[in-house]
Amino acid sequence: MSSGTDHHHETDPRSPEVRTEALEDLLVEKGIVDRARVEALIERFENDLGPMVGARLVAKAWLSPEFRRRLLDDADEVVAAEDIQGAEIEHIEIKANEPGVHNVVVCTLCSCYPWALLGLPPNWYKSPEYRARVVREPRKVLDEMGLSLDADTEVRVWDSSSETRFLVLPEQPEGTDHLDLEELAHLVSRDSMIGVARAQKP
Amino acid sequence: MTRDRGVHDIGGTQGWGKVPHSPDEPPFHNEWERRVLGLMFQVLRHTATRPGEMRYALERLAPDDYFDHGGYYGRWEAVMELLLEEYALLAPGELDVLLGAKEGTGPAHRASRVAPKDPHKLPADRKTPPPNHRTVRRELVDPPHFGVGDRVVALGANQEGHTRLPEYVTGVVGTVVKIHPAEVLPDSTAHDLGERPQHVICVGYRAEDLWGNESEAGVVVNVDLYENYLTAVEEAA
């Protein structure tokens, strides 16, 4: 794509930018699309949804063995009890990392992702490079992304090919037992819940 | 790619470079991507409402539009055009004319048509209680045919069209890891051939069985497969 770094206006009728603008105008004119609702929806995704929803679940699981057990046994029950709503949470499974086991999530056939827990997916998650490679050479891919695993750690890849969505429960960093829920949640990055990073140290 | 697989079915394919990863990547890189997200949800209400229908439309895009039309949101822009034309909410080439471009410039023109599917080659439909909210989950009376630990293989789709069976596990023996809640079958709903609900079986594949000598050690790939994709494997005693 030749979107360029300068901000001149794209005019090529093949460009997705030009086609999107024209399509929106046309659909508004036809009454299929309401521009205010487009705005409202974008704002909801940008402001109300994000990885903090998932990060709080992880932090709660670190603080409470009982919550962790519920989360791993039946995440749907927890998601309902916590009144978490939104797209792409028909059925949630949480996969816990532990010494000797590392989990990582992908969708090779499209880009399925637990939106209601993590917000909008980052581009790299939707890239053909990630989708194609992480099932064939996960250790190499994770290493390139900055996460090196011991050779004797088993890697479990979860390919989201049905409507089940996966979230990784990362291991709690050492020396964080004194932190409270919000402090712990801030250590839990989006990437750590996809399984391409560890939770951060404070 | 030399294999006869869909443009989207890229799991395990080779020749790709590094993942374009940055830890703090924003969800949008420019304004038009934001607009596409906002538009999509309204367009879908008028077009692809059945499970699997939008995914199948994405899978029918030409490779250039799938991979090189501005990435994920560009792919969504392209699929909106395709769906709007197929639902006759846009005339063929209407957007091209508006843009002063030659008709056929747009991605809808290059996309494949919906493949005809023979319903007799799909598993039989089963009555389930109607759900009290919008969901793909269904309550099946019949128990699953498989249990955790069973050895299974997916032999491959028996006809063209939408499926959620990735090519890279086809013909490879795996082990049932878990049974997920039953869902409507997207291979059927995407083609408007009824719900035909199936148990969803999570199957674990060892990397050495998937990739042979080139595989990394200590890797299991878990894939969720609709029960009708799977056949039991009798282990030699």
Side-chain angles (χ1 to χ4, degrees):
Chain A
M1 283 316 307
S2 59
S3 45
T5 48
D6 54 341
H7 289 273
H8 74 91
H9 199 75
E10 179 72 67
T11 53
D12 185 341
R14 289 166 302 184
S15 94
E17 177 183 351
V18 169
R19 298 189 81 82
T20 300
E21 270 181 35
L23 188 63
E24 179 168 349
D25 291 345
L26 190 56
L27 294 178
V28 168
E29 193 184 300
K30 287 174 182 278
I32 294 168
V33 158
D34 174 352
R35 229 187 276 275
R37 293 183 67 162
V38 172
E39 278 297 341
L41 193 131
I42 296 168
E43 280 180 22
R44 181 169 133 69
F45 272 101
E46 281 191 322
N47 302 329
D48 302 347
L49 296 171
M52 281 314 286
V53 178
R56 284 201 187 91
L57 290 181
V58 170
K60 273 192 189 183
W62 287 347
L63 287 168
S64 159
E66 164 64 13
F67 188 84
R68 176 189 159 97
R69 190 190 56 71
R70 279 174 59 209
L71 197 60
L72 298 184
D73 284 358
D74 187 355
D76 294 340
E77 179 268 317
V78 175
V79 164
E82 301 274 314
D83 201 24
I84 297 169
Q85 292 174 3
E88 297 284 313
I89 46 167
E90 286 266 1
H91 175 52
I92 296 283
E93 292 221 341
I94 314 284
K95 301 299 177 186
N97 290 344
E98 51 194 87
V101 177
H102 183 84
N103 295 281
V104 59
V105 179
V106 65
C107 172
T108 63
L109 291 174
C110 44
S111 306
C112 299
Y113 188 78
W115 287 29
L117 303 179
L118 294 184
L120 292 168
N123 264 352
W124 64 260
Y125 179 83
K126 302 173 286 191
S127 70
E129 291 85 0
Y130 183 74
R131 288 165 50 193
R133 292 183 57 210
V134 81
V135 291
R136 183 184 277 268
E137 44 184 8
R139 289 180 193 279
K140 189 171 178 206
V141 169
L142 294 175
D143 196 60
E144 287 173 7
M145 295 173 83
L147 176 61
S148 55
L149 298 171
D150 292 339
D152 56 358
T153 293
E154 182 183 321
V155 181
R156 296 179 187 163
V157 184
W158 302 90
D159 188 352
S160 319
S161 41
S162 75
E163 294 301 332
T164 296
R165 296 290 168 269
F166 300 96
L167 187 84
V168 175
L169 176 59
E171 289 182 89
Q172 182 171 357
E174 281 177 28
T176 57
D177 289 348
H178 61 290
L179 300 182
D180 68 17
L181 179 72
E182 287 304 312
E183 289 167 329
L184 287 172
H186 278 96
L187 306 179
V188 186
S189 66
R190 170 176 72 192
D191 283 10
S192 74
M193 291 180 281
I194 303 173
V196 302
R198 292 191 174 87
Q200 290 146 27
K201 296 196 170 115
Chain B
M1 273 164 281
T2 52
R3 280 211 252 177
D4 182 24
R5 54 161 103 192
V7 63
H8 65 290
D9 188 4
I10 56 177
T13 56
Q14 292 177 283
W16 302 98
K18 285 201 171 163
V19 176
H21 175 244
S22 87
D24 302 315
E25 187 182 310
F28 303 110
H29 292 80
N30 40 55
E31 178 60 19
W32 71 262
E33 294 186 343
R34 297 175 75 248
R35 305 309 297 178
V36 168
L37 178 86
L39 288 171
M40 178 59 95
F41 289 89
Q42 290 192 50
V43 167
L44 284 180
R45 289 199 317 202
H46 295 275
T47 56
T49 53
R50 298 189 309 272
E53 196 180 356
M54 179 211 173
R55 289 200 186 105
Y56 184 43
L58 284 164
E59 294 164 10
R60 292 187 286 114
L61 293 176
D64 284 353
D65 296 315
Y66 191 90
F67 290 115
D68 300 322
H69 183 66
Y72 180 74
Y73 289 107
R75 195 180 303 153
W76 275 24
E77 188 281 319
V79 90
M80 282 195 284
E81 289 191 41
L82 174 60
L83 288 168
L84 288 161
E85 287 198 7
E86 289 184 339
Y87 276 82
L89 294 167
L90 288 185
E94 186 172 348
L95 199 62
D96 292 332
V97 173
L98 188 75
L99 289 165
K102 209 172 90 200
E103 198 178 314
T105 303
H109 179 80
R110 289 184 289 275
S112 307
R113 303 297 125 213
V114 172
K117 242 186 196 189
D118 178 357
H120 301 292
K121 290 184 179 173
L122 291 167
D125 207 352
R126 290 183 272 193
K127 278 265 177 280
T128 51
N132 58 13
H133 65 286
R134 196 177 145 83
T135 176
V136 296
R137 286 170 68 164
R138 294 293 180 272
E139 301 295 329
L140 280 177
V141 176
D142 310 332
H145 290 124
F146 306 105
V148 171
D150 285 0
R151 302 280 282 161
V152 292
V153 63
L155 297 173
N158 56 5
Q159 57 183 330
E160 296 286 300
H162 183 62
T163 183
R164 294 296 285 175
L165 173 63
E167 174 68 28
Y168 75 92
V169 300
T170 301
V172 180
V173 177
T175 305
V176 175
V177 170
K178 189 164 184 181
I179 314 285
H180 293 310
E183 296 176 10
V184 303
L185 179 65
D187 307 43
S188 180
T189 56
H191 290 259
D192 205 9
L193 293 172
E195 295 192 342
R196 303 174 197 262
Q198 297 292 311
H199 291 287
V200 179
I201 316 287
C202 179
V203 182
Y205 295 91
R206 298 188 317 162
E208 49 269 48
D209 295 333
L210 290 171
W211 320 117
N213 292 338
E214 296 171 16
S215 68
E216 293 181 347
V219 171
V220 176
V221 182
N222 302 280
V223 184
D224 292 343
L225 300 174
Y226 295 84
E227 187 175 59
N228 63 298
Y229 299 171
L230 296 171
T231 304
V233 175
E234 301 296 330
E235 302 281 14

